[in-house]
Amino acid sequence: MEGLNHFPEALRESARLVVKTRESRLTALRRGESYPSLSLSDRRAWLEEFHPDYRADSCRPLTLGPNQGDLVPCELADLLESWPRHAVSRHFALSRRSHSAAEGDPSALAPFSKQVKADLHTDVLVIGGGGAGTTAAIAAAEAGAKVLIVTKLRHGDSNTIMAEGGMQVADQEADSPVQHYLDTMGGGHFINDPDLVESLVSDGPRVLRWLEELGMLFDKYPTGRMKVRHGGGTSRRRLHASGDVTGLELMRVLRDHAESFANIRVLPFHPAVELLTDDNGRAVGAVLEHLVAGDRLPTIQVVHARAVVLATGGFGRLHFKKFPTSNHYGALADGLVLAYRAGVPLRDLRYCQYHPTGIVYPDRKIGLLLTEKFRGWGAQLLNYHGEEFVFGLEPRDVTSAAIIRECTEMGNGITTPSGRVGVWLDIPLIDLLHGRGTIEREFPGRFREFIGKGIDLRVAPVLTYPTLHYQNGGIAIQSDGGTDMPGLYAAGEVTGGVHGDNRLMGNALLEILVFGLRAGRSAARFAQNNGEGSNPGVSHLESFMEALHEKAAGQHRTSPRLLPSYGKSGLPA
Amino acid sequence: MAGPKVATITIAFDGTEYTVSAGRTILVALEEAGLRFVRGVGCRGGVCGACTVLYRMRDAHPLVAGLMCQDEAKHGMEILSLPYIPQKKAVHRMELPPENSPEYQVLSLYPEVNNCVMCGECSRLCPVGIDVMGYVGMIKRGDLRSAAQQSFTCVQCQACVLRCPSSISQPNAALAARRFHGRYREAPAEHLAKALEKVESGHYRSLFRKVRRLSGVEFQALYQRREREPDDAPPGTWLPEDRSLI
Ligand SMILES: Cc1cc2nc3c(=O)[nH]c(=O)nc-3n(C[C@H](O)[C@H](O)[C@H](O)COP(=O)(O)OP(=O)(O)OC[C@H]3O[C@@H](n4cnc5c(N)ncnc54)[C@H](O)[C@@H]3O)c2cc1C
Ligand code: SF4
Ligand code: SF4
Ligand code: FES
C-alpha cells in the first residue's frame, strides 16, 4: 500500500488495518463523536494497575536526609545516597571514613572546615543554562546583578530546546487563570502546592506578552490572534505553539536576549558538582568540574556568589526501569543531588511522567517524542486492529497507562522486528480532518525530519509507546523561587510542587518562565541585601557523609553522574 | 546471550576506523563502539545542532553535513566532528533606532548578507533541508516574513557558516530576521493584551480566594463539572454555560 513501504512486513499488516478503519473513524469524528473519557475512579484504577511507577518494586524509601522515608524511584534513591565525586573528594581532601572511626587522625576532621579560595566571584550564580536558568539570569541581570551562568554542555543544550508542542497560557475569552488553575490541580491529582499554581497561571499572560515583545514567533492568525489547541487534561484551548519546535524557538530567543546583557557571563562545559555553604547554612556558591579540562587545566573551579539559582532540569537520562527517554544528554538529576546533600527538602518524586507517544519504530528514533500537539489536532491512538482504545487527551499518566494496558493485558500491541511493542499514532487523520497541508504547516520540524528519511507523515501512522519524559517533582520551593536554604533559589524542572504528581503538557514551558523570572529577581534582591558568605566551604557534606556512612549505603557509588555512559548495548533494551 | 545477528559496517571518525552495527545513527554506532562524548552531543533529538559533522562517502567526492544523532551510519562514511565555529554575532536589543525599519535594522546588523555570491553551498549542506541561500536573499530584499518562515526550523548547527565563501553567519542573521519580524511585523495579540489587563487589575483575586476555600470534595466536583471547549469552535467565539470562573 502506498506510503507504508518503509515498514517491515511485521508492521505493515497492522498498518493496513489502520488505513482500512480510517474512513469510518473520520466519519465518527466529523459527527463530533469521540472516545469517552474516564471517570476519576477509573483513572485511578488504570493508573494503579498499569502505570510503571505505581508498581511497588519501582520505588524505595530514602534512608537518610530531609526526606528520609519518602518513596522515590530506586535509581534516584541510589543517586541521592552516593558519595561526592572523586574530583571533589580529592580537592577538599574528604575522607569516606566516619569521624568516629577516624579519631586520632586529625586530617579526617580538618577538611570540612577548610576555607576554599575562589577562582571566580559573582553576585548571582545560575546553575544550568536551559530555559529556566537563562530566564533567571535575564531577570537578575535586569535587576542589576552581575550574573554567571555555569552549564554542563553548551548554553541551551537542554530539555527546553527540545520542547515541541507548546505552552499553556489562559488568554482566550472563554478562559481564565482560575480555569487554568483548576485544570492544573486536577492533572496533578490535587496535591500541587496551591500558591505555586496560582503564581504559575496568574503570571501566564505577562510572560506571553514578554515573549511577544522579544520577537518570539507563535502560531498566529493574520489578525494577531494566537492559534490555540487543547492539550491532555485541559478544559480550554490554551496551548500556544511555534510550529512543533516551540522550545527551539524559545531557547533561541532567550539565549539571544541573554547575550545582549553585558553583566551575564556564560561558562559552558562546567557542571556544578557541589554547592558551597557558609557558617550560617546559607548557599554561597558552587564547586564546578571542567569537563574538557585536559591535563593542564585544573579540573575543579570554585565560584563564590551572594546568591545561587539551581536550574539544572530533569532526570530522563537515568532511564528508570530501562525506559527510553525523550530528554537531552545532560538530564541526570544533578540538581536534586546537590540540594539534597545540602539538606534541602524535595517533594513529589515518586511518580515520573512517561510521555504517551515516544517513537518505537524506526529503531534509531527510539524514545524521541511525537508531541501531544498531534493528538491535539486529532491524531488517534490505535491498537493492532486499527481501533481506538482510549481518549487520546486524557492527562498523560492516564494515557500512558492505557497504552501499557492495551499492549500487555489486552494483547493488542504491535511488535517490531527488534522486539519492542507499541500502538499506532494515526497522524494522517489530521490532514483529512483539517485539510491538506495541515501536517506540513503545523509540524514543520517533524515533517521535514521524517520525509528526509523516507517516511511521509501524511500517509503513514507511527508506532509509539510511553517514554520517560518529565520529572514531576523536585526541590520544594516557595512562590518567590526560594528554597529552605537562605540564598538558594530554584526554578524549572528541578523543582517540585507546581505540577503535583503529574504535569499537564505546556505547563513546563510556562513554569520555567514564570519561576525563572521570580527566582532570578529574588536572587538578585538577596544578593543586594547580603554580603559575601563567611567562610564558604563544603561543611554541609560533613553530616551528610556521616549519615551515609552510618547507613552503609552507597559505599562505592558517586554522584552527580553528569553524563550517561552508553556502552555496547547502547540505549537500554 | 546470542541475540539476532546484526550486519556490521565500517565507518571512520576523526581518522580512526570503527566496525559498527548497521542501522544505527552515527552517534549510537560510535557509542556502541566505545566512544563517550562530552562535546558534540546535546539534545540527541535533532534540534540543538551540537552534533554537526561533515562527512564524505569513500567512493564519492561531495562533502556532506549531517547530524550525528539523526543520520544513519553508512558503510564507508568518513566523518569529522565540527568544532565550535567563531562567527559574527550582532549584539542588539529589540528597540529600533529612530527612522529605522525592522528590515533595515536587520541589514545594518548583518550587512554582509549583501555579499552573498549565490554559490548555493549553504543550501546544499543544510542537514535539516533549509534553503539557506533562499533566506539570505529574502533578508537582503527586506522580506522578513519569508525569511522567518524559511529559516524557522534552523537548529543553528553552523554547517552553512563554515563553508560560506562570503563569511556570512546565516543562522545569526536569520535569528535577527525572525525576531524583528516577530516583534514589528506580526500583529500583536489583542486578546492577550486584554487578558493581561484583567489579571493585573486584580480581577481574579477574589475568585481565587473563593475557589481555594472550597473543601477537597467540592473542589474535585468543580473539576469534574468542567465544560470542555470544543476542538473546532471558531477562535474566540465559544463561551461556557457556567461563566462564574472566567
Ligand atoms: C522532548 C521534550 C519535549 C517537551 N515538550 C514540551 C512542551 O511541548 N511543552 C512544555 O511545556 N514542556 C515540554 N517539555 C518539558 C520542558 O521542555 C522542560 O521541562 C523544561 O524546558 C525544563 O527547563 P529547565 O530549564 O528546567 O531545564 P533544562 O531546559 O533541561 O535546562 C537545564 C540545564 O542545566 C544543565 N545542567 C544539568 N546539570 C547541570 C549541572 N550539574 N551543572 C550545570 N548545569 C547543569 C543542563 O545541561 C541544561 O542545560 C518537553 C521536554 C522534552 C524533553
Ligand atoms: S541554516 Fe545553517 S545553521 Fe541552520 S540548520 Fe541549516 S546549515 Fe545549520
Ligand atoms: S554559502 Fe554564503 S555566499 Fe554561498 S549562497 Fe550561501 S550565503 Fe551565499
Ligand atoms: S545532539 Fe542535538 S542535534 Fe544532535
Side-chain angles (χ1 to χ4, degrees):
Chain A
M1 207 173 287
E2 211 197 329
L4 305 181
N5 289 334
H6 60 283
F7 287 126
E9 195 45 52
L11 302 182
R12 214 177 304 151
E13 196 182 302
S14 169
R16 285 199 192 106
L17 294 176
V18 170
V19 177
K20 215 161 116 193
T21 58
R22 199 174 280 149
E23 201 49 50
S24 61
R25 285 182 283 116
L26 184 66
T27 320
L29 276 173
R30 288 213 172 111
R31 278 202 303 265
E33 294 166 16
S34 66
Y35 203 88
S37 51
L38 296 168
S39 69
L40 280 183
S41 58
D42 283 350
R43 272 189 192 175
R44 196 81 216 160
W46 285 30
L47 284 174
E48 277 172 10
E49 196 161 355
F50 299 105
H51 190 283
D53 293 336
Y54 284 72
R55 286 181 10 205
D57 63 351
S58 67
C59 300
R60 77 163 170 86
L62 288 166
T63 61
L64 53 87
N67 292 82
Q68 187 168 354
D70 285 5
L71 287 173
V72 303
C74 302
E75 296 89 339
L76 179 62
D78 287 352
L79 209 66
L80 293 176
E81 298 175 353
S82 297
W83 299 97
R85 289 173 66 83
H86 296 302
V88 175
S89 299
R90 259 198 314 275
H91 191 82
F92 295 96
L94 303 181
S95 157
R96 286 193 188 180
R97 283 167 304 156
S98 83
H99 292 175
S100 41
E103 246 166 335
D105 175 3
S107 69
L109 272 169
F112 295 106
S113 50
K114 181 178 154 188
Q115 188 144 15
V116 278
K117 249 187 40 249
D119 301 296
L120 295 157
H121 287 271
T122 187
D123 295 336
V124 174
L125 172 65
V126 176
I127 302 177
T134 307
T135 308
I138 292 168
E142 270 177 346
K146 185 176 142 199
V147 182
L148 176 66
I149 301 178
V150 299
T151 194
K152 190 186 303 188
L153 301 164
R154 305 173 314 162
H155 187 191
D157 292 349
S158 60
N159 281 357
T160 301
I161 207 168
M162 304 185 77
E164 299 178 4
M167 173 167 132
Q168 285 200 38
V169 173
D171 63 345
Q172 305 283 318
E173 287 77 354
D175 205 355
S176 78
V178 184
Q179 191 75 26
H180 189 179
Y181 176 87
L182 198 57
D183 288 351
T184 304
M185 295 294 292
H189 305 309
F190 306 102
I191 65 152
N192 324 41
D193 178 330
D195 285 340
L196 296 182
V197 181
E198 187 176 331
S199 307
L200 176 84
V201 298
S202 302
D203 285 7
R206 161 74 36 221
V207 297
L208 190 57
R209 185 54 176 217
W210 183 59
L211 294 176
E212 221 186 12
E213 283 167 1
L214 288 181
M216 178 172 166
L217 297 175
F218 287 96
D219 299 349
K220 282 184 168 183
Y221 298 99
T223 56
R225 177 175 279 279
M226 299 270 183
K227 288 189 183 168
V228 282
R229 307 292 311 171
H230 270 298
T234 58
S235 61
R236 299 289 187 273
R237 292 182 297 176
R238 70 167 80 88
L239 212 57
H240 301 69
S242 313
D244 60 349
V245 291
T246 313
L248 172 61
E249 172 64 0
L250 174 65
M251 196 66 235
R252 286 186 303 213
V253 168
L254 287 176
R255 188 170 46 197
D256 197 40
H257 188 46
E259 281 170 13
S260 74
F261 286 86
N263 50 343
I264 297 181
R265 189 184 155 201
V266 183
L267 204 55
F269 298 107
H270 277 79
V273 290
E274 222 61 73
L275 291 174
L276 286 184
T277 52
D278 78 351
D279 291 341
N280 305 315
R282 163 187 158 203
V284 288
V287 183
L288 318 178
E289 205 168 306
H290 190 180
L291 283 185
V292 283
D295 48 10
R296 291 280 185 93
L297 296 170
T299 316
I300 291 286
Q301 298 267 305
V302 174
V303 188
H304 284 186
R306 291 162 186 245
V308 179
V309 180
L310 257 181
T312 52
F315 59 24
R317 287 279 152 197
L318 294 176
H319 293 293
F320 298 145
K321 294 174 282 311
K322 299 209 184 304
F323 264 85
T325 184
S326 61
N327 284 194
H328 87 288
Y329 192 43
L332 287 99
D334 299 355
L336 299 182
V337 172
L338 265 55
Y340 199 65
R341 264 179 201 167
V344 179
L346 315 174
R347 59 173 291 178
D348 307 340
L349 280 164
R350 158 115 199 232
Y351 306 106
C352 318
Q353 183 165 86
Y354 298 80
H355 191 290
T357 52
I359 299 173
V360 172
Y361 185 88
D363 283 346
R364 57 172 191 280
K365 291 193 184 294
I366 279 170
L368 297 179
L369 278 203
L370 288 172
T371 165
E372 196 161 300
K373 189 176 167 191
F374 282 110
R375 279 170 285 140
W377 278 84
Q380 291 174 331
L381 290 167
L382 307 171
N383 64 16
Y384 184 93
H385 309 288
E387 300 156 348
E388 256 193 301
F389 54 88
V390 64
F391 172 59
L393 289 173
E394 297 280 2
R396 280 192 176 155
D397 50 354
V398 179
T399 314
S400 288
I403 294 174
I404 295 172
R405 173 176 180 268
E406 194 67 12
C407 292
T408 55
E409 183 173 87
M410 308 305 285
N412 286 330
I414 301 100
T415 308
T416 70
S418 61
R420 287 169 187 271
V421 60
V423 298
W424 295 110
L425 181 66
D426 194 20
I427 295 173
L429 206 53
I430 295 175
D431 269 10
L432 297 177
L433 272 170
H434 303 282
R436 264 209 165 128
T438 310
I439 296 175
E440 225 178 312
R441 187 186 69 235
E442 294 297 325
F443 306 93
R446 248 23 66 196
F447 178 76
R448 279 192 194 194
E449 183 187 317
F450 274 82
I451 204 94
K453 311 282 186 253
I455 302 174
D456 189 344
L457 294 180
R458 292 169 301 193
V459 292
V462 183
L463 207 59
T464 61
Y465 193 76
T467 183
L468 181 54
H469 184 55
Y470 188 77
Q471 174 184 308
N472 288 316
I475 299 171
I477 55 166
Q478 295 111 39
S479 296
D480 66 348
T483 67
D484 265 24
M485 176 177 271
L488 183 66
Y489 298 82
E493 197 169 336
V494 74
T495 67
V498 176
H499 311 293
D501 271 344
N502 175 57
R503 170 185 68 106
L504 293 188
M505 140 162 232
N507 269 350
L509 289 185
L510 179 58
E511 170 188 28
I512 62 178
L513 292 158
V514 167
F515 290 98
L517 289 171
R518 285 170 174 250
R521 257 183 242 129
S522 310
R525 201 177 315 121
F526 186 92
Q528 255 151 29
N529 298 337
N530 293 273
E532 294 238 326
S534 57
N535 209 10
V538 291
S539 54
H540 57 278
L541 290 179
E542 188 170 358
S543 53
F544 172 77
M545 289 171 69
E546 194 76 50
L548 197 56
H549 187 89
E550 199 175 297
K551 308 282 175 190
Q555 280 305 342
H556 302 293
R557 295 187 300 258
T558 60
S559 65
R561 284 255 311 273
L562 303 185
L563 293 173
S565 72
Y566 297 124
K568 202 84 214 99
S569 58
L571 289 175
Chain B
M1 276 211 324
K5 258 241 163 337
V6 188
T8 60
I9 54 172
T10 306
I11 61 175
F13 182 76
D14 270 350
T16 306
E17 282 201 353
Y18 299 90
T19 302
V20 301
S21 317
R24 307 283 197 269
T25 58
I26 299 172
L27 173 60
V28 171
L30 289 171
E31 283 179 339
E32 284 185 15
L35 264 65
R36 189 170 186 229
F37 290 93
V38 173
R39 281 183 187 282
V41 183
C43 64
R44 303 181 74 102
V47 290
C48 77
C51 65
T52 319
V53 288
L54 288 179
Y55 64 83
R56 202 180 63 81
M57 303 306 290
R58 201 169 293 153
D59 52 4
H61 78 274
L63 194 61
V64 187
L67 299 173
M68 283 201 288
C69 71
Q70 293 293 300
D71 295 3
E72 192 174 330
K74 295 271 169 57
H75 185 68
M77 269 183 173
E78 295 176 349
I79 305 161
L80 172 77
S81 169
L82 272 197
Y84 164 75
I85 301 162
Q87 56 180 306
K88 170 167 163 179
K89 179 74 202 297
V91 174
H92 65 85
R93 287 287 167 87
M94 293 310 290
E95 291 73 35
L96 288 178
E99 324 252 305
N100 251 12
S101 66
E103 291 74 18
Y104 186 74
Q105 176 69 357
V106 175
L107 270 181
S108 11
L109 293 171
Y110 292 95
E112 11 0 306
V113 293
N114 288 312
N115 303 342
C116 169
V117 296
M118 307 219 282
C119 65
E121 179 68 354
C122 48
S123 299
R124 186 185 71 78
L125 276 177
C126 178
V128 295
I130 293 174
D131 177 8
V132 188
M133 181 173 85
Y135 78 60
V136 169
M138 293 160 188
I139 295 175
K140 212 157 70 173
R141 289 194 302 277
D143 183 358
L144 295 187
R145 176 176 300 278
S146 304
Q149 275 167 4
Q150 184 71 35
S151 68
F152 189 61
T153 56
C154 167
V155 299
Q156 306 195 305
C157 75
Q158 318 188 51
C160 55
V161 181
L162 184 73
R163 300 273 296 168
C164 177
S166 308
S167 302
I168 299 168
S169 171
Q170 302 95 326
N172 285 347
L175 175 59
R178 282 191 304 271
R179 289 192 63 191
F180 280 98
H181 170 72
R183 166 75 184 256
Y184 293 103
R185 294 294 184 228
E186 288 274 304
E190 277 173 36
H191 58 93
L192 172 59
K194 281 193 202 129
L196 182 57
E197 220 172 277
K198 207 161 161 188
V199 173
E200 304 208 319
S201 71
H203 179 86
Y204 297 107
R205 238 174 263 142
S206 58
L207 210 49
F208 267 116
R209 264 204 303 278
K210 206 173 102 200
V211 168
R212 288 183 56 176
R213 265 205 306 267
L214 295 178
S215 72
V217 177
E218 290 168 329
F219 188 77
Q220 295 198 11
L222 188 65
Y223 177 73
Q224 289 258 279
R225 273 205 311 276
R226 293 170 311 156
E227 293 162 67
R228 187 171 189 274
E229 180 179 7
D231 279 293
D232 44 12
T237 54
W238 179 85
L239 285 174
E241 301 260 307
D242 174 5
R243 306 197 182 148
S244 60
L245 293 186
I246 59 171

